[in-house]
Amino acid sequence: LTIANGTLSALSSSDGGIIWTATFTPTTASVTDATNVITLDNTGVTDASGNAGTGTTNSNNYTIDTQRPTATIVVADNALRIGETSLVTITFSEAVTGFTTADLTIANGTLSALSSSDGGITWTATFTPTAGITDATNVITLDNTGVADASGNAGSGTTDSNNYGIDTLIPIVASVSVPENGKYVGGENLEFTIIFNKEVKVITAGGIPQIQITIGGMIRQANYVSGSETSSLLFRYTIQPGDLDSDGITIGPLQANNGILSDIAGNNAILTLNNVAPTTNVLIDATITPTITFANSIKTYGD
């Protein structure tokens, strides 16, 4: 016997050699073949009189499908920020049944209902990231054992999507440090450090961000100096002649001033100042000290 894509168990006959039976087992390796036969070489058998058979005899055709379905998973947008979603496409090697979102483990987000328009080969859904997180390493994982092809072959193992990053954490001000207590005079700098909950990128092409400060009822601006792409931004105001404040300066608000303050992903920062250190003892005296000119005159009196 020549056996296509499989093996046969030992042959046996219960009627003296007319009918023989055995069990066929298809090849367990991944095979999909719609055309298979078992071929008997008749010359290898003889009847009771010793007459050998001639030629060959083929069985009926049989189909073998031992190929397990496999999949690829693609998250279209691999860098998601606040308000964004992404198309997710799961493509199987053949049509499958039994596929639901329960077969998927989804990192830091949720997936809408799955749908297929080609009979179960290509499936799509919409991924929505979880709010308030920053995570650069995420995948969607498919448990292949939850799906089967038309022949009933279940998948095996797991399949991961491409990696996708998520940044849905809004930058907010965690605290504000202020100049040390004391009296400051003209020409000295007042420096303020705004500390965010994450790294913040500052773009000054359209304007320089500022912190409004009030000195003795007069509005002044501390301009952004440095710190872009870190969580600490430095702002500075240089005291001008005439500035005077004997009961402490006040701070706020932070203004973009046509600049941009955002995280690396492009989420705009909330500019509300939180946890501002006290400034009641940050005093200013840059008044102009008046000068007095004495004119000396000498009179000479005659004798």
Side-chain angles (χ1 to χ4, degrees), residues 80-82 84 106-110 127-134 164 166-169:
L80 293 152
R81 62 180 188 173
I82 294 170
E84 292 185 334
I106 304 156
N108 289 320
T110 58
F127 172 78
T128 302
T130 302
I133 64 167
T134 300
Y164 54 93
I166 296 175
D167 189 346
T168 55
L169 181 64

Side-chain angles (χ1 to χ4, degrees), residues 171-207:
I172 62 172
V173 175
S175 63
V176 181
S177 66
V178 301
E180 294 182 358
N181 292 338
K183 182 177 286 187
Y184 295 81
V185 298
E188 292 187 316
N189 292 325
L190 299 179
E191 294 191 339
F192 307 84
T193 301
I194 297 182
I195 301 171
F196 285 85
N197 62 335
K198 62 187 302 189
E199 293 179 351
V200 172
K201 183 177 182 179
V202 182
I203 299 176
T204 60

Side-chain angles (χ1 to χ4, degrees), residues 23 25 38 58 71 76 111 122 135 146 164 207 244 258 272 295 298-299:
T23 301
T25 302
I38 296 174
N58 288 334
L111 209 61
T122 306
D135 194 332
Y164 54 93
L244 177 65
N258 295 318
T272 303
I298 300 175
K299 274 189 175 183

Side-chain angles (χ1 to χ4, degrees), residues 205-230:
I208 298 175
Q210 300 172 326
I211 303 174
Q212 180 177 295
I213 59 176
T214 303
I215 300 177
M218 302 299 293
I219 302 299
R220 301 287 189 257
Q221 303 293 341
N223 291 321
Y224 164 75
V225 176
S226 63
S228 181
E229 299 191 16
T230 74

Side-chain angles (χ1 to χ4, degrees), residues 40-117:
L40 169 64
D41 179 3
N42 296 316
T43 63
V45 296
T46 58
D47 61 15
S49 300
N51 299 306
T54 60
T56 58
T57 301
N58 288 334
S59 69
N60 58 307
N61 183 73
Y62 54 93
T63 298
I64 296 176
D65 184 355
T66 56
Q67 179 83 41
R68 295 181 184 273
T70 59
T72 58
I73 308 172
V74 176
V75 180
D77 188 344
N78 63 4
L80 293 152
R81 62 180 188 173
I82 294 170
E84 292 185 334
T85 60
S86 178
L87 175 69
V88 177
T89 303
I90 303 98
T91 305
F92 288 93
S93 56
E94 54 187 315
V96 298
T97 58
F99 183 37
T100 69
T101 53
D103 300 310
L104 296 166
T105 301
I106 304 156
N108 289 320
T110 58
L111 209 61
S112 67
L114 294 156
S115 64
S116 176
S117 60

